[in-house]
Amino acid sequence: MTAPLVACPDPDRDCPLCPRLHDFIAQWRQREPSWFNAPVPTFLPPEGEDAVKLLIVGLAPGLRGANRTGRPFTGDYAGDLLYNMLIAHGFARGQYKARPDDGLELVGTAITNAVRCVPPDNKPVGAEIATCRTFLMPTIARFKNLRAVLALGSIAHQSTVRALGQRVAAFPFRHGGQQQTNGVTLFSSYHCSRYNTNTGVLTEAMFVNVFSQIEEFLQK
């Protein structure tokens, strides 16, 4: 599969570029017609894209999380941890209640995914990641005041590095990493999935440390 040139930062609701993901969503539209079941758009602060200084890049929508609700990291465990961390560090306000109408608002922050459509078994393949990078690139470019990007997990990190026009080998993933490229600082963290937290790969203290670094950086 060859990734087409795409200038728009958000896929169409019926985006056909990744046949496997398109077919998977079509199956779930039949099974759960009340779910969102479409490429999940970037979550923006109410002040708009010019207010964004921090962009958070996840891997892909969860089946019963963002694919169901239509808002990144909303409706599953990863969202519980991420949004409460954002609120605690001043990157969001309100209360997170795991639904898109809970009134929670981002502050100077946007949230997106490296792959916008839910993949089977939460595992996008390489061609799908590359294809959806044609949306990640203009997503990053739309934020003219962007200063920091937080990539959650190695796949999101690698796709972000490539979207920034850099070689992955020159910007290796490591938890707590902080690297400068193309006018932004790229921070990296293990993904806040239930698996990572249950196995101790990511502890709450480790996640707090990452957000404390970002908060300190953006206050300079």
Side-chain angles (χ1 to χ4, degrees), residues 123-140:
K123 295 178 180 178
V125 300
E128 293 160 354
I129 298 165
T131 295
C132 216
R133 197 175 305 122
T134 59
F135 297 105
L136 181 59
M137 292 170 67
T139 294
I140 294 172

Side-chain angles (χ1 to χ4, degrees), residues 88-169:
H89 288 269
F91 296 115
R93 57 180 169 248
Q95 263 192 314
Y96 173 70
K97 297 181 181 178
R99 62 177 195 268
D101 63 348
D102 56 16
L104 181 137
E105 295 180 341
L106 297 177
V107 178
T109 303
I111 305 176
T112 195
N113 280 305
V115 176
R116 301 295 185 89
C117 292
V118 58
D121 301 318
N122 292 322
K123 295 178 180 178
V125 300
E128 293 160 354
I129 298 165
T131 295
C132 216
R133 197 175 305 122
T134 59
F135 297 105
L136 181 59
M137 292 170 67
T139 294
I140 294 172
R142 72 189 289 192
F143 303 122
K144 66 180 184 181
N145 295 313
L146 187 67
R147 294 185 59 205
V149 179
L150 170 60
L152 298 175
S154 60
I155 293 176
H157 171 89
Q158 291 170 8
S159 196
T160 300
V161 168
R162 291 188 171 106
L164 290 168
Q166 302 294 342
R167 294 170 54 250
V168 169

Side-chain angles (χ1 to χ4, degrees), residues 15-90:
C15 179
L17 298 180
C18 299
R20 187 181 75 118
L21 303 189
H22 181 271
D23 292 347
F24 187 61
I25 285 178
Q27 294 172 20
W28 279 95
R29 285 181 179 175
Q30 291 185 340
R31 293 176 64 172
E32 297 287 351
S34 66
W35 288 12
F36 186 74
N37 286 322
V40 175
T42 300
F43 184 21
L44 299 172
E47 295 81 8
E49 59 189 38
D50 288 353
V52 174
K53 295 182 180 179
L54 169 65
L55 174 65
I56 297 172
V57 182
L59 172 57
L63 178 61
R64 291 174 173 80
N67 179 68
R68 175 175 60 85
T69 64
R71 191 176 74 180
F73 288 91
T74 299
D76 54 21
Y77 174 80
D80 295 345
L81 183 55
L82 177 62
Y83 283 111
N84 286 323
M85 196 67 63
L86 290 172
I87 292 168
H89 288 269

Side-chain angles (χ1 to χ4, degrees), residues 4-22:
L5 294 176
V6 178
C8 178
D10 287 311
D12 292 336
R13 178 171 175 81
D14 294 308
C15 179
L17 298 180
C18 299
R20 187 181 75 118
L21 303 189
H22 181 271

